[in-house]
Amino acid sequence: MWNDGLFILWQHITHLFYQDMENGLKLSPRLTFKHINITSFSAMCVNLAAQVLSSSVAAVIKTYSPPDTAATVKLCEMMDSFFDCLNVRSTFEHQRKRKPFLAPYTSRQDARFQWLESDFLGYLREWQQGIQNRPGDFTQNVWNKMFLSWQNI
């Protein structure tokens, strides 16, 4: 995929995983071979996607990878916050995990609704607009691979 002049590559995640395997100290202990070696069954496991597209993975990539991974980091951060907005299930989990987006919704004026409308959907709109404005002679198949698939939207 491609966003804001940078590639969003699965290789950024796999590179992190294999570097962790080589080192004695794991920076991303939750990532396992099941997360990296995707099968037709594991592709349907939301928990694996949520663990890969997480703020902890984004932080490690941001800290230890070159600057050209910034688009992958941004996608991980945005998806982590999006998943948190959808997974509110406890009144205290947000305090224990230190993730404010996991707090229970208390009103219709919750700031997360504004974040979803302006920041998250804005991120997706800007990404799609950037692809549409990208110069080059690309086939429809190549254009489709620069953004999320229609099944994911």
Short mmCIF file of all heavy atoms in Angstrom, two decimals, residues 56-87:
data_model
loop_
_atom_site.label_atom_id
_atom_site.label_comp_id
_atom_site.label_asym_id
_atom_site.label_seq_id
_atom_site.Cartn_x
_atom_site.Cartn_y
_atom_site.Cartn_z
N SER A 56 1.97 -0.65 20.41
CA SER A 56 3.28 -1.17 20.84
C SER A 56 4.15 -1.54 19.64
O SER A 56 5.35 -1.26 19.64
CB SER A 56 3.10 -2.36 21.78
OG SER A 56 2.40 -3.40 21.15
N VAL A 57 3.56 -2.15 18.62
CA VAL A 57 4.32 -2.46 17.40
C VAL A 57 4.73 -1.16 16.71
O VAL A 57 5.86 -1.01 16.27
CB VAL A 57 3.49 -3.36 16.45
CG1 VAL A 57 4.14 -3.46 15.09
CG2 VAL A 57 3.33 -4.75 17.06
N ALA A 58 3.82 -0.19 16.66
CA ALA A 58 4.13 1.10 16.04
C ALA A 58 5.29 1.79 16.77
O ALA A 58 6.18 2.35 16.13
CB ALA A 58 2.90 2.00 16.07
N ALA A 59 5.30 1.73 18.10
CA ALA A 59 6.36 2.38 18.87
C ALA A 59 7.72 1.74 18.60
O ALA A 59 8.73 2.45 18.47
CB ALA A 59 6.04 2.31 20.36
N VAL A 60 7.75 0.43 18.50
CA VAL A 60 9.03 -0.26 18.23
C VAL A 60 9.52 0.06 16.82
O VAL A 60 10.70 0.36 16.61
CB VAL A 60 8.89 -1.79 18.43
CG1 VAL A 60 10.15 -2.51 18.00
CG2 VAL A 60 8.57 -2.10 19.88
N ILE A 61 8.61 0.04 15.85
CA ILE A 61 9.02 0.37 14.47
C ILE A 61 9.49 1.81 14.39
O ILE A 61 10.51 2.10 13.77
CB ILE A 61 7.86 0.11 13.48
CG1 ILE A 61 7.55 -1.37 13.40
CG2 ILE A 61 8.21 0.64 12.10
CD1 ILE A 61 6.32 -1.70 12.57
N LYS A 62 8.76 2.71 15.03
CA LYS A 62 9.13 4.13 15.02
C LYS A 62 10.51 4.35 15.63
O LYS A 62 11.31 5.14 15.13
CB LYS A 62 8.10 4.96 15.78
CG LYS A 62 8.35 6.46 15.73
CD LYS A 62 7.43 7.22 16.67
CE LYS A 62 6.06 7.35 16.11
NZ LYS A 62 5.19 8.23 16.91
N THR A 63 10.81 3.63 16.70
CA THR A 63 12.07 3.82 17.42
C THR A 63 13.26 3.17 16.72
O THR A 63 14.34 3.75 16.67
CB THR A 63 11.94 3.27 18.85
OG1 THR A 63 10.83 3.89 19.48
CG2 THR A 63 13.19 3.54 19.66
N TYR A 64 13.06 1.98 16.18
CA TYR A 64 14.21 1.19 15.71
C TYR A 64 14.27 0.99 14.19
O TYR A 64 15.15 0.28 13.72
CB TYR A 64 14.22 -0.18 16.40
CG TYR A 64 14.43 -0.07 17.88
CD1 TYR A 64 13.37 -0.21 18.76
CD2 TYR A 64 15.69 0.22 18.40
CE1 TYR A 64 13.57 -0.08 20.13
CE2 TYR A 64 15.89 0.35 19.76
CZ TYR A 64 14.82 0.19 20.62
OH TYR A 64 15.02 0.33 21.96
N SER A 65 13.38 1.59 13.45
CA SER A 65 13.39 1.42 12.00
C SER A 65 13.68 2.75 11.31
O SER A 65 13.55 3.81 11.92
CB SER A 65 12.05 0.86 11.53
OG SER A 65 11.84 -0.43 12.06
N PRO A 66 14.04 2.70 10.04
CA PRO A 66 14.33 3.94 9.31
C PRO A 66 13.08 4.80 9.13
O PRO A 66 11.96 4.31 9.26
CB PRO A 66 14.88 3.45 7.97
CG PRO A 66 14.49 2.03 7.85
CD PRO A 66 14.27 1.52 9.23
N PRO A 67 13.26 6.08 8.79
CA PRO A 67 12.13 7.01 8.66
C PRO A 67 11.13 6.63 7.55
O PRO A 67 10.00 7.07 7.60
CB PRO A 67 12.79 8.35 8.32
CG PRO A 67 14.20 8.21 8.73
CD PRO A 67 14.55 6.77 8.67
N ASP A 68 11.55 5.81 6.59
CA ASP A 68 10.62 5.46 5.51
C ASP A 68 9.51 4.50 5.97
O ASP A 68 8.65 4.12 5.18
CB ASP A 68 11.35 4.89 4.30
CG ASP A 68 12.01 3.55 4.58
OD1 ASP A 68 12.20 3.20 5.76
OD2 ASP A 68 12.35 2.86 3.59
N THR A 69 9.50 4.14 7.23
CA THR A 69 8.44 3.29 7.79
C THR A 69 7.33 4.11 8.45
O THR A 69 6.42 3.54 9.04
CB THR A 69 9.02 2.29 8.82
OG1 THR A 69 9.63 3.03 9.88
CG2 THR A 69 10.04 1.35 8.19
N ALA A 70 7.38 5.42 8.32
CA ALA A 70 6.43 6.30 9.02
C ALA A 70 4.98 6.03 8.64
O ALA A 70 4.08 6.11 9.49
CB ALA A 70 6.78 7.76 8.75
N ALA A 71 4.71 5.69 7.38
CA ALA A 71 3.33 5.42 6.97
C ALA A 71 2.81 4.13 7.62
O ALA A 71 1.63 4.05 7.99
CB ALA A 71 3.23 5.33 5.45
N THR A 72 3.67 3.13 7.77
CA THR A 72 3.28 1.90 8.44
C THR A 72 3.00 2.18 9.92
O THR A 72 2.02 1.67 10.48
CB THR A 72 4.37 0.82 8.29
OG1 THR A 72 4.65 0.62 6.91
CG2 THR A 72 3.96 -0.48 8.92
N VAL A 73 3.84 2.99 10.53
CA VAL A 73 3.65 3.37 11.92
C VAL A 73 2.31 4.08 12.10
O VAL A 73 1.54 3.77 13.01
CB VAL A 73 4.82 4.26 12.41
CG1 VAL A 73 4.50 4.90 13.76
CG2 VAL A 73 6.10 3.47 12.48
N LYS A 74 2.02 5.02 11.22
CA LYS A 74 0.76 5.79 11.31
C LYS A 74 -0.45 4.87 11.18
O LYS A 74 -1.42 5.01 11.93
CB LYS A 74 0.74 6.87 10.22
CG LYS A 74 -0.49 7.71 10.18
CD LYS A 74 -0.51 8.71 11.29
CE LYS A 74 -1.68 9.67 11.08
NZ LYS A 74 -1.85 10.56 12.19
N LEU A 75 -0.39 3.93 10.24
CA LEU A 75 -1.50 2.99 10.08
C LEU A 75 -1.69 2.16 11.35
O LEU A 75 -2.81 1.99 11.83
CB LEU A 75 -1.27 2.06 8.89
CG LEU A 75 -2.33 0.96 8.70
CD1 LEU A 75 -3.67 1.57 8.34
CD2 LEU A 75 -1.89 -0.03 7.64
N CYS A 76 -0.61 1.68 11.93
CA CYS A 76 -0.70 0.88 13.17
C CYS A 76 -1.31 1.71 14.30
O CYS A 76 -2.18 1.22 15.03
CB CYS A 76 0.68 0.37 13.58
SG CYS A 76 1.32 -0.95 12.54
N GLU A 77 -0.88 2.95 14.45
CA GLU A 77 -1.40 3.81 15.51
C GLU A 77 -2.89 4.10 15.32
O GLU A 77 -3.67 4.04 16.28
CB GLU A 77 -0.62 5.12 15.56
CG GLU A 77 0.80 4.97 16.03
CD GLU A 77 1.64 6.22 15.86
OE1 GLU A 77 1.28 7.11 15.05
OE2 GLU A 77 2.68 6.31 16.54
N MET A 78 -3.28 4.41 14.09
CA MET A 78 -4.68 4.73 13.82
C MET A 78 -5.57 3.51 14.04
O MET A 78 -6.64 3.62 14.65
CB MET A 78 -4.85 5.25 12.39
CG MET A 78 -4.15 6.58 12.14
SD MET A 78 -4.74 7.92 13.17
CE MET A 78 -6.21 8.39 12.33
N MET A 79 -5.13 2.35 13.57
CA MET A 79 -5.93 1.14 13.74
C MET A 79 -6.02 0.73 15.21
O MET A 79 -7.06 0.26 15.66
CB MET A 79 -5.37 0.00 12.88
CG MET A 79 -5.49 0.24 11.39
SD MET A 79 -7.15 0.66 10.82
CE MET A 79 -8.05 -0.82 11.21
N ASP A 80 -4.95 0.93 15.96
CA ASP A 80 -4.97 0.62 17.39
C ASP A 80 -6.03 1.47 18.10
O ASP A 80 -6.83 0.94 18.88
CB ASP A 80 -3.60 0.85 18.01
CG ASP A 80 -3.57 0.53 19.49
OD1 ASP A 80 -3.70 -0.67 19.84
OD2 ASP A 80 -3.44 1.46 20.30
N SER A 81 -6.05 2.75 17.83
CA SER A 81 -7.05 3.62 18.46
C SER A 81 -8.46 3.26 17.99
O SER A 81 -9.40 3.27 18.79
CB SER A 81 -6.75 5.08 18.13
OG SER A 81 -5.52 5.46 18.69
N PHE A 82 -8.60 2.92 16.72
CA PHE A 82 -9.90 2.51 16.19
C PHE A 82 -10.39 1.24 16.88
O PHE A 82 -11.54 1.16 17.32
CB PHE A 82 -9.81 2.30 14.68
CG PHE A 82 -11.06 1.79 14.05
CD1 PHE A 82 -12.20 2.58 13.98
CD2 PHE A 82 -11.11 0.51 13.51
CE1 PHE A 82 -13.37 2.09 13.41
CE2 PHE A 82 -12.26 0.03 12.92
CZ PHE A 82 -13.40 0.82 12.87
N PHE A 83 -9.53 0.24 16.99
CA PHE A 83 -9.90 -0.99 17.70
C PHE A 83 -10.28 -0.70 19.14
O PHE A 83 -11.24 -1.28 19.66
CB PHE A 83 -8.75 -2.01 17.68
CG PHE A 83 -8.50 -2.67 16.35
CD1 PHE A 83 -7.22 -3.02 15.99
CD2 PHE A 83 -9.53 -2.94 15.46
CE1 PHE A 83 -6.97 -3.64 14.77
CE2 PHE A 83 -9.29 -3.56 14.25
CZ PHE A 83 -8.01 -3.92 13.90
N ASP A 84 -9.55 0.20 19.80
CA ASP A 84 -9.86 0.55 21.20
C ASP A 84 -11.25 1.18 21.32
O ASP A 84 -11.98 0.90 22.27
CB ASP A 84 -8.81 1.48 21.78
CG ASP A 84 -7.49 0.78 22.08
OD1 ASP A 84 -7.45 -0.47 22.01
OD2 ASP A 84 -6.51 1.48 22.38
N CYS A 85 -11.61 2.02 20.36
CA CYS A 85 -12.94 2.64 20.38
C CYS A 85 -14.04 1.58 20.29
O CYS A 85 -15.11 1.75 20.87
CB CYS A 85 -13.10 3.61 19.21
SG CYS A 85 -12.20 5.15 19.39
N LEU A 86 -13.76 0.49 19.60
CA LEU A 86 -14.77 -0.55 19.40
C LEU A 86 -14.76 -1.60 20.51
O LEU A 86 -15.71 -2.37 20.61
CB LEU A 86 -14.53 -1.26 18.06
CG LEU A 86 -14.57 -0.38 16.81
CD1 LEU A 86 -14.29 -1.22 15.59
CD2 LEU A 86 -15.90 0.33 16.69
N ASN A 87 -13.71 -1.66 21.31
CA ASN A 87 -13.56 -2.74 22.28
C ASN A 87 -13.70 -2.31 23.73
O ASN A 87 -13.05 -2.86 24.60
CB ASN A 87 -12.19 -3.42 22.09
CG ASN A 87 -12.16 -4.25 20.84
OD1 ASN A 87 -13.13 -4.92 20.51
ND2 ASN A 87 -11.05 -4.22 20.15
#
